[in-house]
């Protein structure tokens, strides 16, 4: 280390006051010296936050040149003046413009001049917003954000005639949005204001606004109706969700025929509907809720498919009542009127029950089968048969095409077919003839033989592009062609338009990456690592082709909660890591949704530790095979992934040189014991209910990072040493870097503050960067976000000993 770095290490962190408080549940007493930090308005805490930020700034000062270098590298790859592909909605083409030097996008539109014209207009991105003939600025967020340190749009709904905009804005990061009604052409705002709500929508004619109110625990629970032009004080409650486990929301159905209230917990859902033609009527339940059953419904029509050329109206129901990994049923509404039951109609696609808690209800013994067992159901479309980890994500029926989204082998997939063929298959009781949508090949791309990795020879898997693919920008039912977007870890996103009538596939836009970037210089690889309990974990590896060697610096990132999948996606910030020889690793751990519902079930509640074990086992496997160096390994995760970071720091500290934890949920047990806190009650389905369940309490007590982190103990020489809960001395603990925000309502700032204070008191190296004006997602404005990620990457690269770029090149 340099003398400057040694001087940085000699600095002492702020000394947080210790004010002991006891937490007693289920015959267990935990003494917490830092619970006083929960009062974020106290002068003591404000001073402590200022002191911690100053300490971090001093400790990070020597990285300022690297931070600036990373920022310039980032900017060198970005097309700063750019625009999105116009999307047709009603009578306009809508698109977003970005301009060099401006923090936010400008939303614009052009009128549609021909009802039959579905080809997006060609627009020069270099022109200034509003300069084109007929171009109208819908919203300039740069002007709107002036005078605010934080600015985030929380919703934008436009009336069918294009005259009115319903706009929601958050200016402090607490995810409570103020909505107003604005006339787009003049900028005139109506006097109505819906303050501090969750979301809002127009009826298509903009005569009514329906909006969702938050309770004190940040739960969206009340739906209200407002008649435009009347006082907000006269608004009417139309739905109240009194079960504290459930949230509620409202929107307009895709066919714009119904207002739809969706309400649900983590495991149960219900849909209520009201024709838009009767906005002051009573909502009716489509199918009554049943504990443990999730469903959604949409309506569509097979135009001209009936006898004598008549239309066939159908209800499309997505549910898990008869298959835990979900199925799609289509109900012929000519033959079956309301009321409906889950399971009515014809099943056209279903997921794999293997490994699911309720899998035995589908196939005897399915729940005990490995999640990756190939699944075959003769009713499924042919391309779904024999697939591993099959999960059905949804279906969309448009006038001319049908799109099916699903998951297979840990990756998102997309299939499509013509609407007429779908009607024919449905009416004749055949499996639907979907065809997979696959990304076009990259000219001159590498083959697996071009990217050898001898250290990985013992792992299943192969070098290949790891794509995310899905429909994108299809808001109109009448559009003749389907738009889809795909991207990989190293191949920038491409937006395509596919015509199912003739199979033509047109590239609409490819994300521009400047600076001579060539995706063929970078490789992707999927390997499967066997966890300690025998389950095979999919792992994504990304690296420079010329950098694959032994004992590499490794950056491991994970999440693993809420059935959220960590799917492939391109990142400009990642390039600076790859160009320094870093191996970028994504273990798709249980608790996420990569392999369907069973993957989620096997990493939540009383199985949550499997999430942490999977992450550690993947890290260990890549180190033990000689590919990565423990002394140069950094892990990263945010929110629930921050809980993962805190857990693995305690479980396997020897495997990591450093850990970056963003807005980390590290005091999970304390939070889940307090039903007055935001999201707690709704989260019991995810983590367990330690307040009423002693087993859940003990399980969480055993892994909650804050309570299991090292504590200080006076040593014989008068110094302080770090010890574990059982009194054993800490031999090694990774460096810790934490980011958090004062106005975060999802993970309260008290959690990371307490964790860092405990680590620092034990003499461990922990830094925390606290955003004073921000929420769960950090700051706003693209340049600020770019600088923030480069600041974090500078710390990570130093911890990995990989500050300097590679000199060699593949091509």
């Amino acid at each position: 280390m340099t003398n400057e770095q040694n001087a940085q290490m000699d600095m002492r962190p702020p000394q947080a006051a210790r004010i002991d408080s006891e937490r007693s549940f289920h015959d267990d007493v935990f003494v917490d010296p830092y619970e006083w930090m929960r009062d974020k308005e106290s002068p003591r805490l404000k001073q402590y936050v200022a002191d911690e930020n100053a300490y971090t700034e001093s400790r990070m000062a020597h990285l300022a040149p690297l931070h600036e270098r990373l920022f310039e590298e980032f900017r060198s790859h970005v097309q700063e003046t750019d625009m999105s592909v116009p999307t047709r909605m009603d009578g306009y083409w809508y698109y977003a413009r970005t301009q060099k030097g401006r923090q936010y996008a400008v939303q614009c539109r052009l009128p549609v001049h021909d009802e039959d014209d579905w080809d997006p207009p060609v627009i020069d991105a270099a022109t200034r917003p509003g300069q084109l003939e007929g171009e109208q600025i819908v919203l300039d967020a740069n002007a709107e954000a002036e005078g605010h340190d934080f600015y985030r749009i929380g919703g934008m709904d436009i009336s069918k005639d294009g005259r009115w905009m319903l706009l929601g804005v958050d200016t402090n990061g607490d995810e409570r949005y103020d909505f107003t009604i604005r006339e787009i052409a003049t900028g005139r705002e109506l006097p109505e204001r819906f303050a501090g709500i969750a979301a809002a929508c127009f009826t298509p004619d903009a005569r009514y606004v329906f909006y969702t109110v938050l309770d004190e625990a940040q739960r969206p629970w009340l739906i209200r109706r407002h008649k435009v032009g009347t006082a907000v004080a006269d608004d009417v409650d139309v739905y109240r969700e009194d079960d504290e486990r459930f949230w509620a929301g409202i929107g307009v159905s895709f066919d714009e025929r119904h207002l739809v209230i969706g309400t649900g917990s983590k495991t149960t859902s219900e849909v209520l509907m009201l024709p838009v033609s009767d906005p002051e009527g009573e909502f009716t339940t489509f199918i009554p809720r049943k504990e443990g059953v999730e469903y959604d419904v949409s309506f569509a029509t097979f135009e001209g498919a009936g006898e004598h050329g008549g239309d066939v109206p159908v209800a499309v129901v997505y549910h898990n009542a008869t298959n835990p990994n979900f199925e799609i049923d289509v109900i012929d509404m000519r033959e079956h009127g309301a009321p409906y039951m889950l399971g009515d109609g014809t099943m056209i696609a279903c997921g794999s029950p293997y490994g699911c808690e309720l899998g035995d209800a589908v196939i005897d013994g399915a729940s005990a089968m490995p999640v990756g067992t190939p699944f075959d159901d003769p009713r499924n479309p042919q391309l779904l048969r024999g697939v591993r980890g099959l999960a059905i994500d949804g279906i969309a029926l448009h006038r001319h095409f049908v799109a099916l989204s699903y998951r297979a082998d840990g990756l998102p997939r997309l299939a499509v077919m013509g609407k007429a063929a779908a009607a024919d298959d449905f009416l004749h009781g055949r499996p639907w003839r979907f065809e997979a949508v696959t990304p076009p090949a990259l000219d001159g791309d590498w083959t697996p033989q071009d990217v050898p990795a001898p250290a990985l020879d013992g792992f299943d898997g192969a070098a290949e592009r790891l794509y995310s693919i899905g429909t994108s920008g299809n808001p109109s039912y009448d559009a003749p062609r389907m738009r889809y977007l795909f991207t990989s870890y190293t191949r920038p996103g491409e937006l395509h338009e596919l015509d199912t009538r003739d199979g033509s596939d047109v590239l609409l836009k490819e994300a521009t990456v400047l600076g001579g970037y060539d995706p063929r210089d970078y490789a992707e690889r999927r390997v499967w690592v066997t966890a300690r309990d025998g389950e095979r974990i999919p792992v994504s590896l990304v690296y420079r082709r010329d950098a694959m060697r032994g004992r590499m610096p490794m950056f491991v990132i994970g999440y693993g909660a809420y059935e959220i999948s960590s799917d492939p996606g391109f990142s400009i910030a990642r390039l600076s890591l790859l160009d320094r020889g870093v191996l970028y690793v994504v273990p798709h751990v249980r608790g996420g949704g990569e392999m369907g519902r069973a993957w989620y079930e096997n990493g939540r509640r009383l199985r949550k530790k499997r999430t942490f074990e999977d992450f550690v086992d993947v890290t260990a496997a890549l180190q033990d095979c000689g590919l990565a160096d423990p002394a140069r390994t950094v892990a990263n995760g945010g929110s629930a992934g921050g809980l993962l970071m805190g857990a693995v720091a305690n479980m396997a500290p020897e495997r990591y040189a450093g850990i970056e934890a963003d807005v980390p949920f590290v005091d999970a047990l304390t939070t889940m014991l307090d039903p007055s806190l935001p999201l707690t009650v709704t989260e019991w389905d995810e983590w367990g209910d330690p307040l009423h369940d002693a087993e859940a309490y003990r399980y969480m007590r055993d892994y909650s990072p804050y309570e299991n982190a090292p504590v200080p103990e006076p040593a014989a020489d008068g110094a302080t040493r770090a010890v574990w809960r059982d009194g054993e001395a800490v031999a090694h603990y990774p460096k810790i870097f934490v980011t958090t925000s004062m106005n975060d309502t999802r993970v309260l700032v008290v959690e990371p503050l307490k964790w860092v204070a405990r680590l620092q008191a034990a003499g461990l190296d922990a830094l925390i960067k606290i955003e004073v004006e921000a929420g769960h997602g950090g700051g706003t404005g693209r340049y600020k976000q770019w600088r923030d990620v480069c600041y974090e990457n500078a710390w990570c690269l130093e911890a990995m000993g990989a500050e300097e770029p590679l000199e060699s090149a593949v091509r």
Side-chain angles (χ1 to χ4, degrees):
M1 297 179 67
T2 66
N3 290 334
E4 182 181 5
Q5 289 171 314
N6 282 323
Q8 303 290 339
M9 288 299 298
D10 287 340
M11 296 179 183
R12 296 291 180 262
Q15 297 298 305
R18 297 178 58 93
I19 304 174
D20 288 350
S21 64
E22 286 192 358
R23 188 197 68 203
S24 179
F25 291 92
H26 306 294
D27 299 322
D28 177 71
V29 177
F30 173 64
V31 178
D32 188 345
Y34 303 117
E35 179 61 16
W36 63 267
M37 294 182 179
R38 193 166 299 279
D39 181 6
K40 70 176 188 177
E41 298 302 323
S42 72
R44 186 200 302 269
L45 185 70
K46 289 180 178 180
Q47 184 61 54
Y48 176 70
V49 166
D51 291 345
E52 283 286 6
N53 275 339
Y55 173 65
T56 296
E57 185 176 349
S58 298
R59 285 283 309 277
M60 293 283 284
H62 70 287
L63 291 176
L66 177 58
H67 176 207
E68 192 61 32
R69 195 157 65 244
L70 294 175
F71 179 69
E72 290 306 319
E73 288 175 18
F74 192 113
R75 286 192 68 171
S76 73
H77 290 303
V78 177
Q79 181 74 50
E80 295 183 61
T81 298
D82 204 354
M83 63 173 291
S84 64
V85 176
T87 297
R88 180 172 165 175
M89 292 186 291
D90 300 317
Y92 293 90
W93 291 99
Y94 289 87
Y95 49 95
R97 290 176 173 272
T98 55
Q99 298 172 279
K100 185 175 181 179
R102 307 196 79 186
Q103 292 277 18
Y104 301 95
V106 180
Q107 307 297 325
C108 301
R109 69 183 183 185
L110 283 169
V112 173
H113 295 297
D114 186 340
E115 279 299 312
D116 296 325
D117 183 12
W118 288 92
D119 295 324
V122 178
I123 301 170
D124 183 358
T127 59
R128 291 179 58 189
Q131 282 195 330
L132 296 177
E133 182 179 355
E135 184 179 36
Q136 194 171 24
I137 294 176
V138 177
L139 180 73
D140 183 352
N142 298 284
E144 303 279 339
E146 289 183 5
H148 300 290
D149 293 328
F150 182 95
Y151 180 85
R152 178 166 292 148
I153 296 172
M156 181 189 298
D157 195 14
I158 295 176
S159 60
K160 194 169 182 65
D161 64 7
R163 179 182 177 186
W164 299 100
M165 174 174 62
L166 181 64
L167 177 67
V169 171
D170 173 14
T171 56
N172 59 28
D174 64 0
E175 297 184 63
R176 289 178 177 263
Y177 300 94
D178 294 338
F179 276 79
T180 54
I181 302 172
R182 180 181 300 180
E183 189 174 37
I184 295 174
T186 65
R188 175 175 66 96
E189 289 192 349
L190 299 185
E192 295 102 308
R193 183 179 178 86
F194 314 95
I197 64 173
C201 70
F202 273 137
T203 53
D205 60 9
R207 292 179 58 219
Y208 292 85
V209 172
F210 285 79
Y211 59 97
T212 309
V213 178
L214 294 160
D215 67 11
E216 292 183 357
Q218 203 75 3
R219 179 179 68 100
W221 75 287
L222 173 65
I223 310 296
R224 309 198 79 201
R225 182 184 69 236
H226 170 79
K227 186 173 183 179
V228 176
T230 66
V232 173
D234 296 333
D235 291 351
V236 178
D237 296 353
V238 298
Y239 181 81
R240 301 167 68 95
E241 180 52 72
D242 292 320
D243 189 328
E244 292 183 349
R245 299 174 302 156
F246 284 69
W247 51 261
I250 188 167
V252 178
S253 64
F254 181 62
D255 61 6
E256 297 188 337
R257 295 181 182 179
H258 292 87
L259 289 155
V260 180
I261 292 176
T263 181
S265 68
K266 298 290 182 184
T267 59
T268 306
S269 62
E270 186 176 41
V271 173
L272 299 91
M273 312 184 78
L274 175 68
V276 295
S277 58
D278 183 24
E280 294 192 5
E282 296 292 326
F283 282 84
T284 59
T285 301
F286 183 74
I287 297 173
R289 75 177 59 167
K290 181 180 178 181
E291 187 68 29
V293 174
E294 300 167 67
Y295 79 91
D296 197 5
V297 61
S298 60
F299 296 95
T301 301
F302 288 123
E303 291 83 4
E307 295 180 6
H308 312 296
D311 291 344
V312 178
V314 295
V316 182
V317 186
Y318 172 78
H319 69 90
N320 66 347
T322 54
N323 186 310
N325 226 343
F326 290 87
E327 68 179 54
I328 296 171
D329 297 332
V330 178
I331 302 171
D332 187 337
M333 297 179 70
R334 300 173 306 170
E335 302 172 355
H336 191 336
Y340 299 103
M341 297 180 60
L342 295 174
D344 285 347
T346 301
M347 193 281 287
I348 64 165
C350 67
S352 167
Y354 296 132
C356 293
E357 293 172 358
L358 301 177
D360 291 353
V362 182
I363 298 174
D364 286 342
S367 61
M369 297 286 284
V371 177
T373 303
F375 174 66
D376 194 353
D377 188 307
R379 300 170 296 172
N380 263 342
Q382 185 62 42
L383 84 169
L384 301 185
R385 299 181 63 176
V387 166
R388 300 184 304 167
L390 175 63
I392 306 301
D393 283 348
I395 192 168
L397 278 72
H398 293 248
R399 182 177 295 279
H400 300 286
F401 62 87
V402 181
L404 175 70
S405 300
Y406 64 102
R407 302 193 66 85
D409 293 311
L411 292 168
R413 312 281 188 176
L414 177 64
V416 68
M417 65 186 300
K419 183 76 166 294
D424 191 51
D425 287 344
F426 173 64
L427 294 173
H428 288 88
R430 295 189 297 255
W432 290 24
R433 291 165 287 172
F434 282 104
E435 295 184 1
V437 180
T438 55
L442 182 66
D443 290 341
D445 204 6
W446 47 261
T447 65
Q449 292 74 28
D450 298 327
V451 284
L456 297 173
D457 288 345
F459 298 90
D460 291 338
E464 59 182 355
R465 297 290 181 191
L466 302 174
Y467 293 106
S468 291
I469 188 169
T471 58
S472 177
N474 297 287
S476 174
Y477 178 78
D478 294 314
R481 299 178 292 272
M482 181 190 76
R483 289 187 180 184
Y484 72 93
L485 178 69
F486 74 85
T487 182
S488 83
Y489 288 110
T490 59
R491 189 171 169 185
E494 293 184 15
L495 180 65
H496 286 246
E497 200 165 60
L498 176 66
D499 193 328
T500 59
R501 296 169 295 187
D502 59 14
S504 60
D505 188 318
V506 176
L507 172 64
L508 297 179
K509 185 178 180 64
E510 179 181 8
T512 302
V513 182
L514 303 178
Y517 175 75
D518 189 338
R520 292 165 293 192
D521 293 343
Y522 302 83
E524 296 165 275
R525 188 179 183 111
R526 168 58 54 84
V527 297
W528 296 80
V529 171
T530 302
R532 64 191 70 182
D533 67 348
E535 187 61 82
R536 296 171 75 247
I537 312 301
V539 184
S540 298
L541 310 180
V542 192
Y543 48 93
R544 267 264 297 260
R545 281 177 53 196
D546 61 340
M548 177 57 75
R549 55 177 64 91
R551 300 189 68 78
M552 297 173 69
M554 181 167 66
F555 184 86
V556 196
I557 185 168
Y559 189 73
Y562 302 111
E563 205 172 358
I564 294 173
S565 300
S566 299
D567 289 325
F570 186 78
S571 164
I572 286 179
R574 187 187 302 127
L575 296 181
S576 291
L577 303 183
L578 301 180
D579 287 343
R580 286 166 170 78
V582 172
L583 175 65
Y584 187 92
V585 179
V586 185
H588 302 283
V589 295
R590 283 172 284 185
E594 285 88 343
M595 295 284 285
R597 175 52 59 97
W599 211 244
Y600 169 53
E601 292 175 342
N602 280 278
R604 65 170 180 170
R605 298 179 185 166
L606 297 180
R607 297 173 179 169
K608 188 63 205 171
K609 291 179 186 177
R610 290 179 178 174
T611 302
F612 318 140
E613 292 165 355
D614 289 352
F615 193 90
V616 170
D617 291 348
V618 169
T619 302
L622 296 176
Q623 292 171 347
D624 293 347
C625 76
L627 184 62
D629 184 353
R632 304 181 72 192
T633 295
V634 166
N636 173 237
S639 194
L643 166 64
L644 170 63
M645 293 300 99
V648 302
N650 293 338
M651 288 175 59
E654 73 283 358
R655 293 290 180 179
Y656 305 96
I659 286 178
E660 179 191 340
D662 301 312
V663 289
F665 183 44
V666 283
D667 194 16
L669 182 52
T670 301
T671 296
M672 288 298 103
L673 285 167
D674 187 348
S676 70
L677 294 178
L679 306 179
T680 289
V681 176
T682 59
E683 296 283 278
W684 283 342
D685 282 331
E686 177 76 20
W687 310 102
D689 176 5
L691 181 61
H692 304 101
D693 183 344
E695 183 181 14
Y697 177 91
R698 287 190 294 271
Y699 190 81
M700 292 190 72
R701 178 75 165 87
D702 198 43
Y703 73 70
S704 187
Y706 174 60
E707 292 155 79
N708 291 283
V711 294
E713 179 182 84
D717 59 1
T720 297
R721 65 171 188 165
V723 298
W724 299 105
R725 276 174 57 186
D726 61 4
E728 182 181 353
V730 175
H732 169 78
Y733 200 80
K735 297 178 181 179
I736 302 293
F737 181 75
V738 177
T739 65
T740 186
S741 300
M742 290 297 288
N743 294 330
D744 193 338
T745 58
R746 295 174 184 257
V747 178
L748 301 185
V749 69
V750 63
E751 296 200 31
L753 286 177
K754 287 166 62 174
W755 185 46
V756 168
R758 177 163 172 158
L759 295 176
Q760 290 176 343
L764 301 174
D765 188 354
L767 300 178
I768 184 167
K769 181 176 180 288
I770 307 146
E771 292 279 358
V772 177
E773 296 289 342
H776 193 64
T780 57
R782 58 175 179 162
Y783 291 99
K784 181 183 185 334
Q785 291 173 342
W786 297 352
R787 284 199 173 275
D788 285 348
V789 72
C790 292
Y791 187 88
E792 294 155 18
N793 282 350
W795 183 90
C796 293
L797 285 167
E798 183 189 44
M800 289 185 284
E803 296 96 324
E804 296 301 321
L806 300 175
E807 294 182 0
S808 58
V810 174
R811 305 177 69 84

